[in-house]
């Protein structure tokens, strides 16, 4: 009996038939090298078993048992839980055959489970992504779960134009990180030069953002290569908005200018620098003070400390930006540092906002129900959802509760958002220009629509987290 040997295999441990949870293992058998492309948290699995922020995984074994992470113990660190007051400490690491993890950007569905990775394994990410991850780590109040423990990771930064060589003395894999535009700064795609040819991974990208030139450069570099396999995201292959960030600014500006009375509340991601710039410029133009919390300030400071990250019209130390001081008893290290460094005349309380709500733009995340209940905004106030609409049943229920509170206080709501993901026609254009030998749709709930919309091409559609692509 003749057994057919394969030269390279790709294992799809997440990001298959779903948005997020990306974990793609590249095993180049000729080079004897194993590399993960992203190691993200799978929120679909987490929602089935845990209720954030009340319950978290207790062990790596538990996460393996529920299918949240691959069943390969050697790639993980060995935690010993002494007690919940002291948290976790790392024992001496075991040997592992995992050679590297590549992180495309600092969204949890792409990096969230690197907290579990064996501390001997190098984790490569852009400088800005590492700064964001470090900032996020400082904002965790209690690290009583291995999922929350990012200390001691072997993080190595890269930038566009730099090559990463993974070599065991036989053959190697050369990795080229290339910047792309996304709804978080410091996002990258990758080209991996392997023993069977070049594999390209888009990460998350868009063509309609303020930094769309970066995505165009990424596509041009791929055009010059003979791409054997293209792993391409398709978050919005089934539905996509058409607003640019400039459109968001103009719509938001018009809305705030017309809202002369009451508070303006805006919900958007703390790490979305483009949206922060839009909201900041709106506040300046309309004469309002922008209020952000200590967590948002900490993350933005981390972003601005990164080389090459600059938005000329944003001054984080402007007197037009106030930091919310909630006088909470339980504060993370990062929050304590921010509130100790910020001068008192840059801090603001809920009570002061209540007295003159028409003077402020107040930022929240995930709806901000707690903050809205505390502020009790006057009728005629405005709530702007400036992030993605709820897509899961759990988020829809939470959003319904938010709408009930908005109705209770007489607050009108608007949705003004520019997506961080490519539109269907932009995805199609990239594929046609790059002309890869094989296309693998990932980070999408609609892989069949992906294939049928793009048309003639050679496809591999992974069907589950047990899927594997073998290349001779």
């Amino acid at each position: 009996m003749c057994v057919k040997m394969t030269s390279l295999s790709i294992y799809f441990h997440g990001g298959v038939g779903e948005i997020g949870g990306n974990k793609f293992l590249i095993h180049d058998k000729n080079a004897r090298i194993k590399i993960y492309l992203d190691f993200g948290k799978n929120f679909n699995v987490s929602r089935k078993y845990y209720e954030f922020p009340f319950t978290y995984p207790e062990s790596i074994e538990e996460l393996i048992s529920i299918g949240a992470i691959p069943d390969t113990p050697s790639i993980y660190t060995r935690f010993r839980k002494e007690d919940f007051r002291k948290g976790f400490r790392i024992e001496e690491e075991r040997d592992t055959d995992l050679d590297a993890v590549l992180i495309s950007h600092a969204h949890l569905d792409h990096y969230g489970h690197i907290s579990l990775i064996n501390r001997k394994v190098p984790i490569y990410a852009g400088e800005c992504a590492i700064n964001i991850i470090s900032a996020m780590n400082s904002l965790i109040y209690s690290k009583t779960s291995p999922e929350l423990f990012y200390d001691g990771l072997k993080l190595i930064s890269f930038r566009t134009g730099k090559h990463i060589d993974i070599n065991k003395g036989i053959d190697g894999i050369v990795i080229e990180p290339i910047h792309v535009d996304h709804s978080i700064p410091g996002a990258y795609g990758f080209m991996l030069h392997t023993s069977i040819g070049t594999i390209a991974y888009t990460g998350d990208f868009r063509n309609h953002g303020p930094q769309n030139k970066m995505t165009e450069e990424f596509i041009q570099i791929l055009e010059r290569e003979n791409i054997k396999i293209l792993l391409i995201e398709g978050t919005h292959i089934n539905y996509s908005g058409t607003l640019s960030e400039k459109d968001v600014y103009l719509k938001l500006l018009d809305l705030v200018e017309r809202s002369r009375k009451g508070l303006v509340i805006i919900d958007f991601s703390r790490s979305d620098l483009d949206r922060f710039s839009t909201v900041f410029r709106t506040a300046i133009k309309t004469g309002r003070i922008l209020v952000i919390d200590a967590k948002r300030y900490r993350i933005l400071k981390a972003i601005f400390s990164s080389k090459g990250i600059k938005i000329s019209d944003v001054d984080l130390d402007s007197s037009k930006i106030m930091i919310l001081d909630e006088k909470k008893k339980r504060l993370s290290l990062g929050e304590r540092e921010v509130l100790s460094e910020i001068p008192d005349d840059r801090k603001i309380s809920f009570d002061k906002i209540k007295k003159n709500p028409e003077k402020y733009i107040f930022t929240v995340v995930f709806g901000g129900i707690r903050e809205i209940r505390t502020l009790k905004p006057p009728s005629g106030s405005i709530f702007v959802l400036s992030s993605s609409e709820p897509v899961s049943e759990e988020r829809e229920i939470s959003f319904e509760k938010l709408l009930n509170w908005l109705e209770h206080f007489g607050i009108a709501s608007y949705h003004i958002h520019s997506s961080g993901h490519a539109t269907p026609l932009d995805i199609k254009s990239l594929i046609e220009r790059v002309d890869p030998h094989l296309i693998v749709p990932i980070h999408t709930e609609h892989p069949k629509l992906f294939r049928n919309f793009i048309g003639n091409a050679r496809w591999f559609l992974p069907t589950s987290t047990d899927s594997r692509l073998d290349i001779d």
Side-chain angles (χ1 to χ4, degrees), residues 389-412:
E389 293 178 284
V391 293
S392 68
E393 183 179 356
E394 183 182 40
R395 284 195 63 195
E396 285 174 358
I397 293 171
S398 177
F399 191 66
E400 183 179 346
K401 292 176 183 177
L402 169 65
L403 293 178
N404 290 338
W405 280 110
L406 297 180
E407 180 180 353
H408 175 72
F409 289 116
I411 301 172

Short mmCIF file of all heavy atoms in Angstrom, two decimals, residues 389-412:
data_model
loop_
_atom_site.label_atom_id
_atom_site.label_comp_id
_atom_site.label_asym_id
_atom_site.label_seq_id
_atom_site.Cartn_x
_atom_site.Cartn_y
_atom_site.Cartn_z
N GLU A 389 -23.32 46.86 14.15
CA GLU A 389 -24.60 46.49 14.76
C GLU A 389 -24.46 45.13 15.44
O GLU A 389 -23.62 44.32 15.06
CB GLU A 389 -25.69 46.41 13.69
CG GLU A 389 -26.04 47.74 13.07
CD GLU A 389 -27.08 47.59 11.98
OE1 GLU A 389 -26.73 47.14 10.88
OE2 GLU A 389 -28.25 47.92 12.24
N PRO A 390 -25.28 44.87 16.48
CA PRO A 390 -25.23 43.56 17.14
C PRO A 390 -25.50 42.43 16.15
O PRO A 390 -26.43 42.51 15.35
CB PRO A 390 -26.35 43.65 18.19
CG PRO A 390 -26.54 45.11 18.42
CD PRO A 390 -26.25 45.77 17.11
N VAL A 391 -24.67 41.39 16.19
CA VAL A 391 -24.83 40.29 15.24
C VAL A 391 -25.16 38.97 15.92
O VAL A 391 -25.56 38.02 15.27
CB VAL A 391 -23.54 40.11 14.38
CG1 VAL A 391 -23.34 41.31 13.48
CG2 VAL A 391 -22.30 39.92 15.27
N SER A 392 -25.00 38.89 17.23
CA SER A 392 -25.30 37.65 17.95
C SER A 392 -26.56 37.84 18.79
O SER A 392 -26.96 38.96 19.10
CB SER A 392 -24.14 37.26 18.86
OG SER A 392 -24.00 38.19 19.93
N GLU A 393 -27.15 36.71 19.16
CA GLU A 393 -28.37 36.76 19.98
C GLU A 393 -28.09 37.45 21.31
O GLU A 393 -28.89 38.26 21.78
CB GLU A 393 -28.89 35.34 20.22
CG GLU A 393 -30.19 35.29 21.00
CD GLU A 393 -30.68 33.87 21.20
OE1 GLU A 393 -30.05 32.94 20.67
OE2 GLU A 393 -31.70 33.71 21.89
N GLU A 394 -26.93 37.15 21.91
CA GLU A 394 -26.59 37.75 23.21
C GLU A 394 -26.46 39.26 23.10
O GLU A 394 -26.98 40.01 23.92
CB GLU A 394 -25.28 37.15 23.73
CG GLU A 394 -24.88 37.67 25.10
CD GLU A 394 -23.55 37.08 25.54
OE1 GLU A 394 -22.64 36.97 24.71
OE2 GLU A 394 -23.43 36.75 26.73
N ARG A 395 -25.77 39.72 22.06
CA ARG A 395 -25.61 41.17 21.89
C ARG A 395 -26.91 41.84 21.52
O ARG A 395 -27.15 42.99 21.88
CB ARG A 395 -24.55 41.46 20.82
CG ARG A 395 -23.13 41.25 21.30
CD ARG A 395 -22.13 41.89 20.37
NE ARG A 395 -22.29 43.33 20.33
CZ ARG A 395 -21.75 44.12 19.39
NH1 ARG A 395 -21.02 43.58 18.43
NH2 ARG A 395 -21.93 45.42 19.40
N GLU A 396 -27.77 41.15 20.79
CA GLU A 396 -29.07 41.71 20.45
C GLU A 396 -29.92 41.92 21.70
O GLU A 396 -30.62 42.92 21.84
CB GLU A 396 -29.80 40.80 19.45
CG GLU A 396 -29.24 40.90 18.03
CD GLU A 396 -29.87 39.89 17.10
OE1 GLU A 396 -30.71 39.09 17.57
OE2 GLU A 396 -29.53 39.89 15.90
N ILE A 397 -29.87 40.96 22.63
CA ILE A 397 -30.61 41.10 23.89
C ILE A 397 -30.07 42.28 24.68
O ILE A 397 -30.84 43.08 25.22
CB ILE A 397 -30.51 39.79 24.70
CG1 ILE A 397 -31.27 38.66 23.98
CG2 ILE A 397 -31.08 39.99 26.10
CD1 ILE A 397 -31.04 37.29 24.59
N SER A 398 -28.74 42.40 24.75
CA SER A 398 -28.12 43.51 25.46
C SER A 398 -28.49 44.84 24.80
O SER A 398 -28.78 45.83 25.49
CB SER A 398 -26.60 43.33 25.47
OG SER A 398 -25.98 44.42 26.10
N PHE A 399 -28.51 44.87 23.47
CA PHE A 399 -28.84 46.09 22.75
C PHE A 399 -30.30 46.47 22.96
O PHE A 399 -30.64 47.64 23.05
CB PHE A 399 -28.53 45.91 21.26
CG PHE A 399 -28.59 47.19 20.46
CD1 PHE A 399 -27.66 48.19 20.70
CD2 PHE A 399 -29.56 47.39 19.50
CE1 PHE A 399 -27.70 49.38 19.97
CE2 PHE A 399 -29.61 48.57 18.78
CZ PHE A 399 -28.66 49.57 19.01
N GLU A 400 -31.16 45.46 23.06
CA GLU A 400 -32.57 45.73 23.32
C GLU A 400 -32.74 46.40 24.69
O GLU A 400 -33.55 47.32 24.85
CB GLU A 400 -33.37 44.43 23.27
CG GLU A 400 -34.87 44.62 23.46
CD GLU A 400 -35.64 43.32 23.39
OE1 GLU A 400 -35.07 42.31 22.95
OE2 GLU A 400 -36.82 43.31 23.79
N LYS A 401 -31.97 45.97 25.67
CA LYS A 401 -32.01 46.61 26.99
C LYS A 401 -31.54 48.06 26.90
O LYS A 401 -32.12 48.95 27.54
CB LYS A 401 -31.14 45.83 27.98
CG LYS A 401 -31.69 44.45 28.32
CD LYS A 401 -30.73 43.69 29.23
CE LYS A 401 -31.25 42.29 29.50
NZ LYS A 401 -30.31 41.49 30.32
N LEU A 402 -30.48 48.30 26.11
CA LEU A 402 -30.00 49.67 25.90
C LEU A 402 -31.11 50.53 25.30
O LEU A 402 -31.36 51.65 25.77
CB LEU A 402 -28.77 49.67 25.00
CG LEU A 402 -28.33 51.04 24.48
CD1 LEU A 402 -27.87 51.93 25.62
CD2 LEU A 402 -27.24 50.89 23.42
N LEU A 403 -31.79 50.02 24.28
CA LEU A 403 -32.86 50.78 23.63
C LEU A 403 -33.99 51.09 24.61
O LEU A 403 -34.59 52.17 24.55
CB LEU A 403 -33.40 50.00 22.43
CG LEU A 403 -32.43 49.83 21.25
CD1 LEU A 403 -33.09 49.00 20.15
CD2 LEU A 403 -31.99 51.18 20.69
N ASN A 404 -34.24 50.17 25.52
CA ASN A 404 -35.27 50.41 26.53
C ASN A 404 -34.88 51.58 27.44
O ASN A 404 -35.72 52.42 27.79
CB ASN A 404 -35.51 49.15 27.36
CG ASN A 404 -36.20 48.06 26.58
OD1 ASN A 404 -36.87 48.33 25.57
ND2 ASN A 404 -36.04 46.82 27.01
N TRP A 405 -33.61 51.64 27.82
CA TRP A 405 -33.15 52.75 28.66
C TRP A 405 -33.16 54.07 27.89
O TRP A 405 -33.49 55.13 28.44
CB TRP A 405 -31.75 52.46 29.21
CG TRP A 405 -31.78 51.54 30.39
CD1 TRP A 405 -31.35 50.25 30.44
CD2 TRP A 405 -32.28 51.85 31.69
NE1 TRP A 405 -31.55 49.71 31.68
CE2 TRP A 405 -32.12 50.67 32.49
CE3 TRP A 405 -32.85 52.97 32.28
CZ2 TRP A 405 -32.50 50.61 33.82
CZ3 TRP A 405 -33.23 52.91 33.62
CH2 TRP A 405 -33.06 51.75 34.37
N LEU A 406 -32.79 54.02 26.62
CA LEU A 406 -32.83 55.23 25.80
C LEU A 406 -34.26 55.76 25.69
O LEU A 406 -34.51 56.97 25.79
CB LEU A 406 -32.24 54.96 24.41
CG LEU A 406 -30.76 54.56 24.35
CD1 LEU A 406 -30.33 54.33 22.90
CD2 LEU A 406 -29.87 55.61 24.99
N GLU A 407 -35.20 54.84 25.51
CA GLU A 407 -36.60 55.24 25.46
C GLU A 407 -37.05 55.83 26.80
O GLU A 407 -37.77 56.83 26.84
CB GLU A 407 -37.47 54.02 25.11
CG GLU A 407 -38.95 54.35 25.02
CD GLU A 407 -39.79 53.13 24.67
OE1 GLU A 407 -39.23 52.06 24.36
OE2 GLU A 407 -41.03 53.25 24.70
N HIS A 408 -36.60 55.22 27.89
CA HIS A 408 -36.97 55.69 29.22
C HIS A 408 -36.54 57.14 29.46
O HIS A 408 -37.28 57.94 30.04
CB HIS A 408 -36.34 54.77 30.27
CG HIS A 408 -36.54 55.21 31.68
ND1 HIS A 408 -37.76 55.13 32.33
CD2 HIS A 408 -35.67 55.77 32.58
CE1 HIS A 408 -37.63 55.60 33.56
NE2 HIS A 408 -36.38 56.00 33.74
N PHE A 409 -35.32 57.47 28.98
CA PHE A 409 -34.81 58.82 29.19
C PHE A 409 -35.15 59.79 28.06
O PHE A 409 -34.82 60.98 28.14
CB PHE A 409 -33.29 58.78 29.38
CG PHE A 409 -32.85 58.19 30.68
CD1 PHE A 409 -32.11 57.02 30.72
CD2 PHE A 409 -33.18 58.80 31.90
CE1 PHE A 409 -31.70 56.46 31.92
CE2 PHE A 409 -32.77 58.25 33.11
CZ PHE A 409 -32.03 57.08 33.13
N GLY A 410 -35.81 59.29 27.01
CA GLY A 410 -36.15 60.16 25.89
C GLY A 410 -34.95 60.52 25.04
O GLY A 410 -34.78 61.67 24.62
N ILE A 411 -34.11 59.51 24.76
CA ILE A 411 -32.88 59.71 23.97
C ILE A 411 -33.05 59.06 22.60
O ILE A 411 -33.37 57.87 22.51
CB ILE A 411 -31.66 59.10 24.69
CG1 ILE A 411 -31.49 59.73 26.08
CG2 ILE A 411 -30.39 59.27 23.86
CD1 ILE A 411 -30.43 59.05 26.93
N ALA A 412 -32.86 59.82 21.54
CA ALA A 412 -32.94 59.29 20.18
C ALA A 412 -31.63 58.62 19.81
O ALA A 412 -30.55 59.06 20.24
CB ALA A 412 -33.27 60.40 19.19
#
